[in-house]
Amino acid sequence: MAQTKIWRMDAAGAEIYEKVRVPGEFEQLARMLLDRVAPERGHAVLDVACGTGIVARLAAERVGESGQVTGLDRDDAMLAVARANAPHGSAPLTWRAGDAQALPFAAGVFDVVLCQQGLQFFPDRLGALREMLRVLAAGGRFGACLWRSSEFDPFTIAAGEALARHVGQEAADQATYAFGDASELRALIEEAGFREAEVAPLTVSRRMGPPAESIPLFFASSGRLNSIYARLESGVRAALVADIAHAMRSYVSPKGMEVPRETLIATARR
Ligand SMILES: C[S@@+](CC[C@H](N)C(=O)[O-])C[C@H]1O[C@@H](n2cnc3c(N)ncnc32)[C@H](O)[C@@H]1O
């Protein structure tokens, strides 16, 4: 049974997310998602659960000045970073605070709706998918991605095992992914009313710095694990980082850690 994980970020975590996690993994994923969905010049695009805005920014380049892009997220800290990083010379970008399960837009106003690594956090995923369908124009394109189950991510396995050892099973459970099964995802998209639903696995490379630096930055910029990590005593934090670094040793080169991570990419149409 799929669970829901709560995402909460503070201002410092949102900055780290944009500076470290976006170039390390979310930007390459956003490019893959946009290649699949292929927004065109002049399109109106909605990025649901936009976070610090990487999908929206890249979409704005693709649709050009005649298009328009809206990013929506529930988290004020993530949106504040998105607002501060808007690019110049692309489609106009609008940022909206809001809940993916009750989109504050009229029906049929977007040509493309995207959602990168957001769906797993919505308590009512079917309701959110129905909302994304509602705001799409007839024939409009939908694209979403979410991490495949934790067993396909060596870093998540190592983090979960170290958290179980040093903090407890409840903390370890927060490290795993809530929803990452391809057939469940396709069934949900079809149940929401989309047509031509396709779901495919893809591998991205999680590029991190040296373990001693990058593991604490990972915790600080994880909306699921940041508050757990912040409460730990320094000795427990050090043991956690050392255990994960040890488990990840075969992925470390002089440039840092590089760990494969599998995602599901879903596309469909209204
Ligand atoms: C892993 S981040 C992904 C952010 C961005 N899409 C990216 O690729 O970098 C997950 C985002 O989902 C947002 N989120 C979680 N639940 C939400 C909800 N119910 N409505 C809108 N946004 C939500 C969080 O605030 C967070 O910014």
Side-chain angles (χ1 to χ4, degrees), residues 2 20 26 59 62-63 69-71 81 83 86 88 114 123 126 138 155 170 184 199 210 234 238 250 260:
V20 177
F26 288 93
R62 295 195 186 208
V63 302
V69 178
T70 303
V81 174
R83 288 196 173 94
H88 301 286
L114 302 165
L126 181 60
F155 184 86
E170 217 175 299
E184 250 186 282
V199 179
S234 59
S250 62

Side-chain angles (χ1 to χ4, degrees), residues 7 17 22 26 47-52 54-55 72-75 78 98-101 116-118 121-123:
W7 174 281
Y17 185 96
V22 169
F26 288 93
D47 177 13
V48 176
C50 64
T52 57
I54 184 60
V55 173
L72 173 132
D73 202 282
R74 208 185 50 169
D75 191 295
M78 298 293 271
D99 188 337
Q101 301 157 126
Q116 171 163 295
Q117 305 303 344
F121 298 108
F122 308 155

